[in-house]
């Protein structure tokens, strides 16, 4: 009979001690967060694109821009509703799956979520006003009613990022006998990791929303729909994403150095670095097997230069992390590959953005007929979502085995009650239904717009048209 002395293998001993609920809890949380995060950019950025189109329509008398704004507002409303469902599930999961987190640090961790709830209600109120205000409010009053929607969505996203960044660099609390006895809300919310992570996520939202929306119009132009409406929809969204992208790359590079300073284990996983050293190469691809890096492409000294601007920069390797809090080999490989995918997809999108600049500068009249460029632009939507998901994998898996870095391990926070696999299976079915329903609604809206255009559907208790202004009445434009 084969026996293994677990005392000689600390990582195996730690794995054997993990609660049975840890794996399904992590899988369920990963799935629900991965699903929800796709919706966030549209709640944050699509409302801003909507206001840009609305402003242009009013300022320049551009009817196509007003049609864009109206339709984008309806799409935003659908995705807002779906996001509200998936976001609510995530809120419940924090308490049900991770009672150790909420029970110990809820006084601090819950504060940003309370702020997020206020922004959510504010956004919901003004979404309703803006959607039902089309043709029922004076144009500029209606435009300004949409501004709180965009601002509240940004504020809500910032509150969630505050909670997540606090898990990476906790602060603003005083502990005594394992309990939080004092909370400083300002330090919790605006923790050391907040601002860079906030800007990183905000820019990501504009990149994803911009490229996804642009991809819709790029496909339309490939199929022959090349009017002013399609061109304007493409330009507003694509230019927004293209402008945000280089700024995002700069912010991401800055965050990497912050991770180098504050989360050495995550940085070692990103760089696939088993041992501490200087003149560390940047490894592209590759995997860690039995403590050795294999099959990767090595760029000499690049990791040290990127971390500290000089080849002699010393980077802590995985061997310097105590065995009981060291990420597993599988986690290291996942983080490294996710980081490579995030950076690689960003470079691909940057190349397409540069291609757009060249086409616009040299051959502007060919923009709507350049099938190669439009094909590349249409793929940027999917590529941007892949980049977004990869970035969140780096953040969440890279923090392991901690749920709050340095304070609480994930296995100590998970619930010890019940069998979570049936719950996870039920959630998969529910989300499949929600996702399918959302796609069906959006496709139905698209089909109706192509066939009939916009319809002025009456709303309960609402006037049929905006009240006439005093000037219009005096000029006899309204009888």
């Amino acid at each position: 009979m084969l026996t293994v002395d677990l005392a000689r293998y600390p990582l195996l001993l730690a794995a054997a001690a993990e609660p049975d609920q840890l794996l399904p809890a992590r899988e369920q949380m990963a799935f629900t967060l991965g699903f929800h995060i796709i919706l966030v950019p549209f709640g944050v950025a699509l409302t801003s694109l909507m206001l840009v189109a609305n402003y242009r329509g009013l300022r320049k008398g551009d009817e196509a821009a007003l049609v864009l704004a109206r339709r984008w507002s309806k799409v935003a409303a659908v995705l807002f509703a779906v996001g509200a469902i998936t976001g609510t599930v995530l809120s419940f999961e924090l308490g049900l799956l991770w009672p150790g987190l909420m029970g110990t640090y809820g006084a601090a961790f819950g504060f940003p979520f309370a702020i997020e709830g206020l922004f959510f209600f504010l956004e919901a109120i003004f979404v309703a006003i803006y959607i039902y205000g089309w043709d029922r409010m004076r144009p500029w009053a209606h435009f300004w009613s949409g501004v709180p929607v965009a601002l509240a969505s940004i504020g809500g996203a910032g509150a969630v990022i505050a909670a997540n960044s606090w898990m990476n660099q906790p602060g603003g609390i005083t502990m005594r006998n394992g309990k939080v006895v004092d909370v400083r809300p300002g330090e919790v919310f605006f923790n050391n990791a907040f601002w860079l992570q906030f800007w990183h996520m905000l820019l990501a939202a504009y990149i994803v929303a911009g490229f996804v929306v642009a991809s819709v119009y790029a496909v339309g132009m490939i199929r022959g729909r090349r009017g002013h409406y399609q061109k304007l929809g493409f330009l507003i969204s694509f230019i927004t994403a293209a402008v945000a992208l280089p700024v995002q790359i700069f912010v991401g590079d800055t965050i990497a150095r912050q991770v180098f300073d504050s989360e050495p284990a995550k940085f070692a996983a990103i760089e696939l670095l088993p041992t501490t050293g200087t003149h560390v190469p940047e490894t592209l691809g590759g995997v860690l097997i039995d403590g050795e890096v294999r099959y990767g492409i090595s760029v000499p000294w690049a990791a040290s230069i990127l971390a500290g601007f000089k080849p002699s920069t010393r980077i802590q390797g995985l061997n310097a992390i105590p065995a009981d809090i060291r990420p597993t080999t599988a986690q290291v490989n996942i983080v490294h590959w996710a980081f490579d995918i995030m950076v690689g997809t960003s470079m691909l999108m940057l190349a397409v953005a540069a291609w757009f600049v060249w086409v616009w500068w040299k051959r502007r009249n060919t923009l709507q007929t350049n099938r190669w460029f439009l094909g590349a632009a249409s793929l940027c939507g999917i590529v941007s979502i892949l980049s977004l998901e990869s970035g969140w994998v780096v953040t969440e898996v890279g923090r392991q085995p901690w749920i709050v870095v340095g304070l609480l391990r994930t296995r100590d926070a998970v619930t010890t009650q019940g069998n979570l696999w049936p719950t996870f299976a039920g959630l998969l079915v529910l989300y499949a239904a929600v996702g399918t329903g959302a796609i069906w609604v959006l496709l139905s809206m698209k089909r109706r717009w192509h066939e009939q255009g916009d319809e002025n559907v009456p709303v309960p208790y609402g006037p049929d048209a905006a009240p006439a202004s005093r000037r219009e009445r005096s000029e006899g434009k309204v009888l």
Side-chain angles (χ1 to χ4, degrees), residues 380-391:
C380 281
I382 297 175
V383 172
S384 66
I385 292 175
L386 179 61
S387 186
L388 175 72
E389 294 281 11
S390 300

Side-chain angles (χ1 to χ4, degrees), residues 153-230:
S153 64
I154 294 172
V160 175
I161 293 300
N164 188 270
S165 60
W166 183 86
M167 296 165 73
N168 293 328
Q169 294 191 42
I173 60 174
T174 301
M175 302 287 295
R176 187 176 298 125
N177 299 324
K179 296 182 178 180
V180 176
V181 296
D182 180 60
V183 177
R184 296 175 292 282
E187 294 179 30
V188 169
F189 197 100
F190 299 105
N191 56 78
N192 292 335
F194 170 76
W195 283 111
L196 283 176
Q197 291 193 25
F198 167 71
W199 285 112
H200 197 50
M201 183 59 211
L202 183 63
L203 290 166
Y206 281 90
I207 291 168
V208 172
F211 278 137
V212 169
V213 173
S215 68
V216 174
Y217 294 98
V219 171
M221 286 189 280
I222 291 173
R223 293 177 176 176
R225 294 189 291 271
R226 295 168 183 164
H228 175 61
Y229 168 84
Q230 284 77 19

Side-chain angles (χ1 to χ4, degrees), residues 132-426:
Y132 290 105
W134 281 105
D135 298 330
R136 295 169 180 86
M137 297 173 63
R138 289 188 174 90
W140 281 109
H142 174 254
F143 166 81
W144 287 109
S145 73
V147 173
V149 178
L151 295 179
S153 64
I154 294 172
V160 175
I161 293 300
N164 188 270
S165 60
W166 183 86
M167 296 165 73
N168 293 328
Q169 294 191 42
I173 60 174
T174 301
M175 302 287 295
R176 187 176 298 125
N177 299 324
K179 296 182 178 180
V180 176
V181 296
D182 180 60
V183 177
R184 296 175 292 282
E187 294 179 30
V188 169
F189 197 100
F190 299 105
N191 56 78
N192 292 335
F194 170 76
W195 283 111
L196 283 176
Q197 291 193 25
F198 167 71
W199 285 112
H200 197 50
M201 183 59 211
L202 183 63
L203 290 166
Y206 281 90
I207 291 168
V208 172
F211 278 137
V212 169
V213 173
S215 68
V216 174
Y217 294 98
V219 171
M221 286 189 280
I222 291 173
R223 293 177 176 176
R225 294 189 291 271
R226 295 168 183 164
H228 175 61
Y229 168 84
Q230 284 77 19
K231 182 178 179 180
L232 186 61
F234 176 84
L235 290 176
I236 291 176
S237 51
F238 192 92
I239 290 174
T240 298
V243 170
L245 187 56
V247 183
Q248 175 74 310
I249 292 172
F250 171 78
V251 172
D253 181 64
T254 306
I255 288 179
R257 275 187 287 278
Q258 184 187 68
V259 171
F260 167 70
D261 292 330
S262 60
E263 298 181 77
K266 180 186 290 187
F267 193 82
I270 288 173
E271 299 298 343
L272 207 65
L273 183 62
T275 58
T276 302
T278 61
H279 298 79
V280 176
E282 183 77 23
T283 301
L284 306 179
V287 291
L288 188 66
I289 301 176
D290 296 329
E292 295 183 4
V293 178
R294 300 182 184 179
Y295 313 120
I297 299 174
S298 181
V299 182
W301 302 357
S304 289
I305 294 173
L306 292 173
F309 301 108
K310 55 184 179 181
S312 60
T313 301
R314 186 178 183 83
I315 301 178
Q316 181 174 309
L318 294 166
N319 67 327
I321 310 299
D324 61 333
I325 58 172
R326 187 185 306 159
T328 65
T329 299
Q331 290 168 347
V332 170
N333 287 327
I334 289 171
V335 171
H336 173 70
W337 270 96
F339 184 82
D340 279 4
I341 291 172
M342 178 182 65
V343 174
T345 50
S346 297
M347 294 299 105
L348 286 175
M349 291 185 291
L350 185 64
V352 177
W355 191 359
F356 167 79
V357 172
W358 184 83
V359 171
W360 186 256
W361 178 40
K362 290 289 188 179
R363 302 179 179 180
R364 182 179 304 184
N365 294 332
T366 68
L367 177 67
Q368 294 170 276
T369 57
N370 190 327
R371 297 178 68 89
W372 285 103
F373 167 73
L374 292 174
S378 66
L379 292 176
C380 281
I382 297 175
V383 172
S384 66
I385 292 175
L386 179 61
S387 186
L388 175 72
E389 294 281 11
S390 300
W392 273 95
V393 169
V394 173
T395 298
E396 301 304 307
V397 181
R399 188 169 56 236
Q400 300 306 312
W402 300 102
I403 194 168
V404 180
V405 174
L407 297 179
L408 181 65
R409 286 182 294 186
T410 307
R411 72 184 188 191
D412 298 325
V414 73
T415 181
T416 58
Q417 304 298 320
N419 183 358
L420 298 181
W421 287 114
T423 305
F424 184 26

